[in-house]
């Protein structure tokens, strides 16, 4: 992957601006693709701004235009609102459009793993995933301590998912398909507690991911996730578990 990017950052009247342009060229050589060599170019133009509306409220806005040789173009806008209180309380809400382009592997794979009894054939007709996301979060920060509760929802279109297509002898055959409509919703509660050189972090997250066409769960995504970490931080070293 070769890329070049030009970024400009400005601060005007207390508001922060960022603008940039990016170009990249990707190529791959492997026996696992239908053609031994594949390449593609992508360009992007983007900008964002942070607006202060008084002492407690700020608004973030942004957009990104991406033009790709393999799958076309996409415009991804976003807007967010943040409120801060002097006591360390805060609240955030945001909405954004997103996308993910299909990879070379998903489009052009052609390989058999006989030892594991499966084969994968790519789908060159794949379209990029697109989505709309709504996220909200409330919490409190005091010093190095923090407690938060966040929730989110994603409406997905053309979600790329591996799919079983049939059996050839003992070999199970798979490809990649676009799921017409899907959604993910969930939430997370967590926090951080710091005392001296020790910091403890923990969180619990719940995820509901559904293919709206088949009314079945999307593959490979855990419904519940629990995470914990303990960090000891001294001047010249850090130990985390």
């Amino acid at each position: 992957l070769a890329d070049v990017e030009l970024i400009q950052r400005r601060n005007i009247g207390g508001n922060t601006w960022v603008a940039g342009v990016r170009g990249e060229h990707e190529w791959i050589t492997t026996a696992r693709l239908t053609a031994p060599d594949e390449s593609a170019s992508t360009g992007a133009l983007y900008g964002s701004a942070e607006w202060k509306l008084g002492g407690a409220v700020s608004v973030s806005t942004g957009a990104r235009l991406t033009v790709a040789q393999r799958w076309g173009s996409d415009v991804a806008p976003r807007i967010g609102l943040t409120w801060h209180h002097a006591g360390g309380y805060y609240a955030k809400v945001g909405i954004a459009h997103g996308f993910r382009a299909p990879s070379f592997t998903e489009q052009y794979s052609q390989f058999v793993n006989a030892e594991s009894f499966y084969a994968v054939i790519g789908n060159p007709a794949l379209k990029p995933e697109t989505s709309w996301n709504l996220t909200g979060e409330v919490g409190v920060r005091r010093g190095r301590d923090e407690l938060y509760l966040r929730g989110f929802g994603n409406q997905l279109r053309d979600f790329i998912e591996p799919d079983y297509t049939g059996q050839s002898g003992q070999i199970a055959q798979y490809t990649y398909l676009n799921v017409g409509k899907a959604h993910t919703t969930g939430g997370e509660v967590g926090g951080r507690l710091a005392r001296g050189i020790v910091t403890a972090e923990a969180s619990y997250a719940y995820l509901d991911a559904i293919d709206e066409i088949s009314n079945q769960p999307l593959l490979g995504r855990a419904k519940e996730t629990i995470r914990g970490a303990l960090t000891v931080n001294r001047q010249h070293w850090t130990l985390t578990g």
Side-chain angles (χ1 to χ4, degrees):
L1 175 68
D3 63 81
V4 60
E5 188 168 16
L6 176 65
I7 304 173
Q8 184 186 52
R9 299 178 178 87
R10 301 281 304 272
N11 192 301
I12 304 175
N15 302 313
T16 303
W17 296 69
V18 178
V21 60
R22 177 185 175 90
E24 64 180 47
H25 184 74
E26 182 182 10
W27 64 96
I28 187 170
T29 300
T30 174
R32 288 191 166 190
L33 299 183
T34 52
D37 298 280
E38 292 289 349
S39 64
S41 298
T42 304
L45 181 67
Y46 60 88
S48 65
E50 299 284 341
W51 311 81
K52 291 185 178 180
L53 306 179
V57 179
S58 62
V59 176
S60 63
T61 58
R64 182 184 181 98
L65 168 65
T66 304
V67 180
Q69 178 184 352
R70 283 187 294 145
W71 49 264
S73 61
D74 183 271
V75 178
R78 64 175 176 83
I79 184 169
L81 181 68
T82 303
W83 169 81
H84 287 280
H85 187 269
Y89 299 98
Y90 69 89
K92 302 177 182 179
V93 63
I95 185 170
H97 174 74
F99 74 97
R100 184 182 76 83
S103 68
F104 284 136
T105 299
E106 292 166 334
Q107 286 189 302
Y108 304 114
S109 289
Q110 184 169 311
F111 71 93
V112 177
N113 189 330
E115 294 180 355
S116 299
F117 303 104
Y118 75 91
V120 179
I121 305 299
N123 181 3
L126 283 175
K127 295 181 286 186
E129 302 174 358
T130 60
S131 67
W132 281 100
N133 166 265
L134 178 64
T135 301
E137 180 178 341
V138 294
V140 58
R141 295 190 187 107
R142 291 176 180 168
R144 293 188 295 156
D145 300 338
E146 179 182 11
L147 180 66
Y148 64 84
L149 173 66
R150 63 175 64 112
F152 67 87
N154 292 290
Q155 287 295 324
L156 308 170
R157 295 297 179 266
D158 296 318
F159 183 76
I160 299 172
E161 186 177 45
D163 189 63
Y164 174 75
T165 60
Q167 198 82 14
S168 176
Q170 292 184 313
I171 303 298
Q173 296 180 326
Y174 294 87
T175 188
Y176 296 93
L177 297 177
N178 288 112
V179 176
K181 294 175 64 177
H183 71 258
T184 61
T185 56
E188 182 178 5
V189 59
R192 178 178 62 246
L193 186 66
R195 293 294 179 269
I197 65 172
V198 179
T199 301
E201 297 179 81
S203 69
Y204 166 81
Y206 177 83
L207 174 67
D208 187 37
I210 297 294
D211 177 347
E212 295 180 12
I213 305 299
S214 65
N215 200 34
Q216 295 297 314
L218 296 177
L219 295 177
R221 285 154 185 86
K223 261 195 180 305
E224 296 179 275
T225 304
I226 298 174
R227 181 182 62 86
L230 191 67
T231 301
V232 180
N233 192 20
R234 295 295 297 269
Q235 184 176 3
H236 298 297
W237 55 266
T238 300
L239 175 66
T240 301

